[in-house]
């Protein structure tokens, strides 16, 4: 059973377009994290959201944590080829380990 | 500074052969350590985590095992590899105030192909 469901699984867009990816669960999380991974490398943390309804901005990336702390979204404005990668959401179920979704694979073409 | 290293980076092994992947961290003490596996460029599956020397928790029952012989060393092993063990193995440790607000730092990864 996948604890965190991410959608869409794949997304191919052109440079300059906007996009939103989603991370959903039936469980409540104390926090959710978003990571970005490039081929052949480990994921790198983008942001941690803690408070229900919280919105965080990181340049052209906007992250939102749902009011009920069961879901999160990542919106990218004016996507660039450098945004290409696998976007993963992660949440803690126990006090010791993070569980990851399957990810959204984003391709931004010039 | 705090760093994490894992090796080997690439490994091609026949079915039934043993496996040993090693991960070490520097610049910290008593870190929480993790082994994840990623298949076909998709999501990460948590395999093992350790909160201290000799303390191993397994998330997924399989023919893999983990050990933590020293504070900053985490080893992933198998006595007999299966085809399904192929994947990208990532070691990680937690940085920050704790799991709920801390950051997972990942090693460079080890790509295992079982033939």
């Amino acid at each position: 059973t996948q604890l965190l469901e991410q959608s869409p699984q794949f997304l191919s867009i052109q440079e300059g377009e906007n996009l939103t990816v989603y991370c959903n669960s039936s469980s409540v999380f104390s926090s959710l994290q978003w990571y970005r991974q490039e081929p052949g490398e480990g994921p790198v943390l983008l942001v941690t959201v803690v408070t229900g309804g919280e919105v965080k901005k990181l340049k052209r990336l906007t992250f939102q944590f749902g009011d009920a702390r069961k879901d999160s979204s990542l919106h990218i404005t004016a996507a660039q080829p450098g945004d290409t990668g696998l976007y993963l959401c992660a949440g803690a179920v126990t006090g010791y380990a993070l569980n990851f979704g399957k990810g959204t694979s984003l391709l931004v073409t010039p | 500074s705090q760093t994490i290293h894992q090796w080997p980076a690439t490994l091609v092994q026949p079915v039934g052969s043993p496996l040993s992947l090693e991960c070490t961290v520097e610049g910290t003490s008593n870190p929480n350590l993790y082994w994840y596996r990623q298949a076909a460029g998709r999501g990460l599956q948590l395999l093992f985590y350790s909160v201290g020397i000799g303390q191993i928790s397994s998330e997924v029952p399989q023919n893999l095992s983990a050990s933590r012989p020293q504070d900053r060393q985490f080893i992933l092993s198998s006595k007999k590899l299966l085809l399904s063990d192929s994947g990208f193995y990532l070691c990680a440790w937690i940085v920050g105030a704790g799991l709920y607000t801390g950051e997972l730092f990942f090693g460079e990864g080890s790509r295992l192909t079982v033939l």
Side-chain angles (χ1 to χ4, degrees):
Chain A
T1 302
Q2 189 69 27
L3 190 63
L4 289 164
E5 298 287 345
Q6 291 191 243
S7 61
Q9 291 186 36
F10 301 97
L11 192 55
S12 180
I13 62 172
Q14 291 201 321
E15 182 176 4
E17 293 184 17
N18 302 332
L19 67 115
T20 302
V21 298
Y22 301 92
C23 174
N24 296 292
S25 177
S26 57
S27 301
V28 176
F29 292 95
S30 298
S31 67
L32 275 178
Q33 297 184 332
W34 285 92
Y35 289 77
R36 178 170 166 267
Q37 183 182 21
E38 297 193 21
E41 299 181 5
V44 176
L45 180 69
L46 295 173
V47 76
T48 300
V49 286
V50 180
T51 305
E54 180 179 7
V55 176
K56 281 191 173 179
K57 291 191 175 183
L58 187 65
K59 296 184 180 179
R60 293 177 293 100
L61 278 61
T62 301
F63 304 86
Q64 185 164 7
F65 200 14
D67 291 340
R69 305 208 313 276
K70 293 182 178 182
D71 56 87
S72 181
S73 64
L74 159 60
H75 181 80
I76 301 179
T77 303
Q80 299 177 1
D83 295 326
T84 294
L86 181 66
Y87 289 82
L88 297 154
C89 68
V93 177
T94 68
Y96 296 106
L98 275 177
N99 287 270
F100 284 78
K102 291 186 176 180
T104 292
S105 182
L106 172 65
L107 174 64
V108 183
T109 54
Chain B
S1 62
Q2 299 151 334
T3 59
I4 180 170
H5 297 289
Q6 58 177 110
W7 67 91
T10 305
L11 202 59
V12 180
Q13 292 286 101
V15 169
S17 63
L19 171 73
S20 181
L21 301 178
E22 188 165 342
C23 171
T24 60
V25 297
E26 298 176 0
T28 186
S29 60
N30 197 31
N32 285 1
L33 296 172
Y34 305 85
W35 277 112
Y36 285 88
R37 179 172 61 195
Q38 186 175 36
R42 301 303 292 161
L44 278 66
Q45 178 187 33
L46 178 63
L47 300 176
F48 301 95
Y49 67 90
S50 172
V51 300
I53 296 174
Q55 300 180 61
I56 308 294
S57 295
S58 174
E59 290 291 307
V60 183
Q62 52 203 325
N63 68 319
L64 299 173
S65 62
S67 62
R68 187 166 176 178
Q70 300 180 43
D71 181 45
R72 288 171 288 179
Q73 184 184 30
F74 203 22
I75 298 172
L76 182 69
S77 303
S78 175
K79 292 183 179 179
K80 288 185 178 182
L81 285 169
L82 305 173
L83 287 173
S84 58
D85 291 325
S86 293
F88 191 47
Y89 288 81
L90 289 156
C91 180
W93 65 297
I94 197 81
V95 177
L99 181 63
Y100 295 107
T101 56
E103 174 179 355
L104 266 181
F105 269 109
F106 288 87
E108 307 95 332
S110 299
R111 184 161 303 282
L112 170 66
T113 303
V114 183
L115 302 175

